Amino acid sequence: KNQVEQSPQSLIILEGKNCTLQCNYTVSPFSNLRWYKQDTGRGPVSLTIMTFSENTKSNGRYTATLDADTKQSSLHITASQLSDSASYICVVLDSNYQLIWGAGTKLIIKP
Amino acid sequence: NAGVTQTPKFQVLKTGQSMTLQCAQDMNHNSMYWYRQDPGMGLRLIYYSASEGTTDKGEVPNGYNVSRLNKREFSLRLESAAPSQTSVYFCASSDYSPINEQFFGPGTRLTVL
């Protein structure tokens, strides 16, 4: 069964620190992999979309990496800010154009 | 541009009651989607509409119906609400197909007692 698993489930870091969130997937083949940010009480907002041929993609302080061989992706956040407190969701689009959603990592930034 | 809007933001129903969740987008997108989000789980697709006049079932369609009223509007109806339908409901839209970025509304938090 196609699955997307994220780790850790939750993470607390101090403001200004860096962090990396992990995503492992079993979807094969896939069309693209996305990272979304979801603030509490809001809908998800797209951060990055990567095709299987892309290894890395940045959006400001957010950098996503993709290793299609090991079926792993990571989202690295640099110099965290209080506004980065949110859930980060990894999503894989399979070859049937179905989106497979991970459960998300809840990130809390403390001052 | 308002993007994707949803009404209502909150709703409490009793078991057996019916209601319609409204969604509208002003980005001229062809495709629209309804998802539900439950604690500890990824978003699950209820129904989608690839284009005006078409609708298709997603992963969890039981207990729901949809109407693509026009290109802008896509509504979700619960005919006889059940406690298992307590969830947060999100509407989304995209240009032509799921391969493109989806834009989400703010969500409707529904509680069924």
Side-chain angles (χ1 to χ4, degrees), chain B residues 14-27:
Chain B
K14 294 181 179 178
T15 298
Q17 287 185 316
S18 62
M19 78 162 296
T20 300
L21 281 65
Q22 306 286 354
C23 173
Q25 53 92 10
D26 62 2
M27 295 174 282

Side-chain angles (χ1 to χ4, degrees), chain B:
Chain B
N1 285 351
V4 180
T5 57
Q6 293 182 236
T7 56
K9 290 192 173 178
F10 301 94
Q11 184 72 48
V12 178
L13 293 177
K14 294 181 179 178
T15 298
Q17 287 185 316
S18 62
M19 78 162 296
T20 300
L21 281 65
Q22 306 286 354
C23 173
Q25 53 92 10
D26 62 2
M27 295 174 282
N28 202 35
H29 286 163
N30 287 287
S31 301
M32 297 185 73
Y33 314 83
W34 275 105
Y35 291 92
R36 61 177 289 172
Q37 186 175 38
D38 299 297
M41 300 180 67
L43 269 71
R44 292 183 290 170
L45 183 65
I46 305 171
Y47 271 93
Y48 67 99
S49 171
S51 61
E52 185 179 355
T54 68
T55 61
D56 287 287
K57 295 178 180 179
E59 182 185 354
V60 288
N62 291 346
Y64 306 95
N65 284 303
V66 290
S67 295
R68 184 74 182 267
L69 304 171
N70 47 56
K71 190 171 185 179
R72 290 187 63 249
E73 299 172 288
F74 189 38
S75 63
L76 178 72
R77 183 161 179 83
L78 286 71
E79 291 291 351
S80 179
S84 61
Q85 294 178 305
T86 293
S87 188
V88 181
Y89 292 86
F90 288 101
C91 177
S93 69
S94 69
D95 198 13
Y96 288 110
S97 86
I99 199 168
N100 297 311
E101 180 181 353
Q102 290 189 3
F103 295 83
F104 285 81
T108 294
R109 185 173 294 273
L110 175 66
T111 301
V112 183
L113 302 176

